[in-house]
Amino acid sequence: MTETIINLETVNPLDFFGVNNAKLDILKKKFPLLKILSRGTQLKLSGSPEQIKAATEKINLAISYLERNGSMSNNYFDQILGGDDAEVIDNFMERNPNEVLVFGPNGKSVRARTANQKRLVQEAEKNDVVFAIGPAGTGKTYTAVALAVRALKNKQVKKIILTRPAVEAGESLGFLPGDLKEKIDPYLRPLYDALDDMIPADKLGYFMTTRTIEIAPLAYMRGRTLDNAFIILDEAQNATDLQLKMFLTRIGANAKAIITGDMTQVDLPKNQRSGLKTATRILRNISGIGYIELDEEDVVRHRLVKAIIKAYNAEHEQQSTEREASR
């Protein structure tokens, strides 16, 4: 008699167990020789090694399907356990790669919603460093955070580190009320908001307390070596050449990094150059570094945001043309 525990943290337990545990009942009927218990986000199997192995393979197929599809009928669950449609599942995964990234509180599914967001997911899986460039509202940061949360839940990394340059504070930082954390937190708020959508409040608080998830200004990265971590540098257009080089050289063993930015919203002083433009130019052809550019077609905010971005782009292009003509 042996035991094994299967974690269901990457899917919504309600979707896996079914309403009134209907799918759990199906599982028990398919494997009557096993003792099967559900405890929160865990499934405990007790029985012979052969039976446990067979059940685990089928359960993992169901989990993989749910991770990508977000839902599964009782009939389909029954078919998966019956062993007749592994090929069907493989075909589905091939057609819908990584559609669902993670399930947040109350079963909310977070997924790559546009073609370029899906490309960002694929680039992150193939490369250890990815640059994601695009305007506001294209989901580049949100998708990157979802990838980090998925990696943490799947135990691919031990921690998540989210960082941003706080350049907007500049010399006025000292005039803001509160201690250093209270002064800096407003510039890191978008990262907290993304995490709130993906991790229950109590668990997020625990992760923050234990520094499993760390959110800090870019300056705090200096001198560190970041191993076994998923690292996101957001708003990288506001990092200088030296800052971006410093960040990239912090990456340690078994670490992944996504650098996001919008070259149309550089807030650096006039005499400082954005390091993001330099980095994407000189690092683009290095193996292991991916690059994805999102545009207004990837905007997933209010419908007017897409129109606003297009209008500003048109104005910028017109001004560039006028400047060229006046030379």
Side-chain angles (χ1 to χ4, degrees):
M1 183 79 117
T2 60
E3 292 183 353
T4 190
I5 293 177
I6 299 174
N7 287 309
L8 306 172
E9 293 181 342
T10 59
V11 300
N12 180 8
L14 178 60
D15 288 327
F16 182 87
F17 293 122
V19 177
N20 297 323
N21 284 330
K23 292 192 182 76
L24 182 60
D25 291 339
I26 294 172
L27 178 63
K28 289 179 178 179
K29 288 178 182 177
K30 289 289 184 180
F31 296 94
L33 300 180
L34 288 178
K35 183 179 180 181
I36 302 174
L37 298 174
S38 63
R39 295 178 179 174
T41 60
Q42 291 186 332
L43 196 63
K44 183 179 179 182
L45 309 180
S46 303
S48 70
E50 295 80 11
Q51 283 282 310
I52 287 178
K53 180 181 178 183
T56 300
E57 288 176 354
K58 300 303 180 187
I59 290 168
N60 286 336
L61 282 175
I63 291 172
S64 296
Y65 184 92
L66 277 171
E67 285 175 342
R68 287 157 174 80
N69 197 33
S71 63
M72 177 172 52
S73 69
N74 290 353
N75 287 338
Y76 203 82
F77 185 65
D78 184 76
Q79 291 174 29
I80 290 175
L81 297 182
D84 296 328
D85 67 348
E87 183 177 348
V88 173
I89 296 172
D90 289 340
N91 289 338
F92 178 88
M93 292 178 183
E94 188 174 333
R95 292 194 307 270
N96 302 275
N98 303 297
E99 187 177 349
V100 176
L101 300 176
V102 69
F103 284 95
N106 303 317
K108 175 183 177 181
S109 62
V110 179
R111 64 185 71 210
R113 295 170 58 182
T114 70
N116 281 328
Q117 288 176 9
K118 291 176 182 179
R119 283 185 59 209
L120 172 55
V121 173
Q122 293 164 6
E123 287 294 317
E125 290 184 336
K126 292 188 297 184
N127 300 284
D128 287 337
V129 176
V130 176
F131 288 89
I133 314 299
T138 52
K140 53 190 184 298
T141 300
Y142 199 78
T143 303
V145 172
L147 285 167
V149 171
R150 185 180 70 170
L152 183 65
K153 286 187 173 183
N154 290 345
K155 296 180 171 55
Q156 295 170 336
V157 297
K158 294 181 180 178
K159 57 189 173 184
I160 296 173
I161 297 174
L162 310 174
T163 184
R164 275 183 148 198
V167 299
E168 297 92 338
E171 294 179 352
S172 64
L173 184 62
F175 295 98
L176 295 174
D179 59 20
L180 181 59
K181 183 180 185 300
E182 291 170 331
K183 295 172 192 284
I184 292 294
D185 270 359
Y187 301 102
L188 305 174
R189 189 69 250 172
L191 301 174
Y192 287 102
D193 291 343
L195 288 170
D196 286 340
D197 276 356
M198 301 176 200
I199 301 176
D202 56 343
K203 185 172 285 188
L204 179 57
Y206 171 77
F207 283 154
M208 299 288 285
T209 302
T210 59
R211 298 178 72 84
T212 303
I213 296 179
E214 181 181 350
I215 304 178
L218 179 58
Y220 285 26
M221 298 299 107
R222 190 174 301 278
R224 302 180 62 181
T225 300
L226 307 175
D227 296 329
N228 302 304
F230 201 116
I231 316 152
I232 298 173
L233 170 57
D234 194 34
E235 299 287 350
Q237 76 276 2
N238 289 327
T240 64
D241 283 331
L242 288 176
Q243 287 175 326
L244 199 45
K245 180 183 177 183
M246 176 273 291
F247 171 81
L248 291 169
T249 54
R250 300 305 94 202
I251 300 170
N254 190 39
K256 278 186 173 287
I258 297 181
I259 299 96
T260 72
D262 177 3
M263 291 308 304
T264 68
Q265 296 192 28
V266 178
D267 298 311
L268 288 167
K270 296 292 184 182
N271 63 338
Q272 290 187 351
R273 182 175 63 181
S274 171
L276 182 60
K277 188 173 184 180
T278 304
T280 54
R281 175 174 54 83
I282 67 176
L283 303 178
R284 185 179 292 221
N285 295 322
I286 295 178
S287 176
I289 297 180
Y291 179 87
I292 176 71
E293 189 164 343
L294 300 96
D295 55 35
E296 62 268 13
E297 296 303 317
D298 298 296
V299 171
V300 291
R301 292 181 182 169
H302 192 286
R303 61 179 181 81
L304 288 176
V305 174
K306 186 181 295 187
I308 290 168
I309 291 173
K310 285 184 177 180
Y312 272 99
N313 286 344
E315 174 69 10
H316 177 73
E317 289 175 6
Q318 181 179 344
Q319 290 177 353
S320 297
T321 303
E322 291 173 354
R323 282 196 297 268
E324 289 293 329
S326 64
R327 288 179 182 176

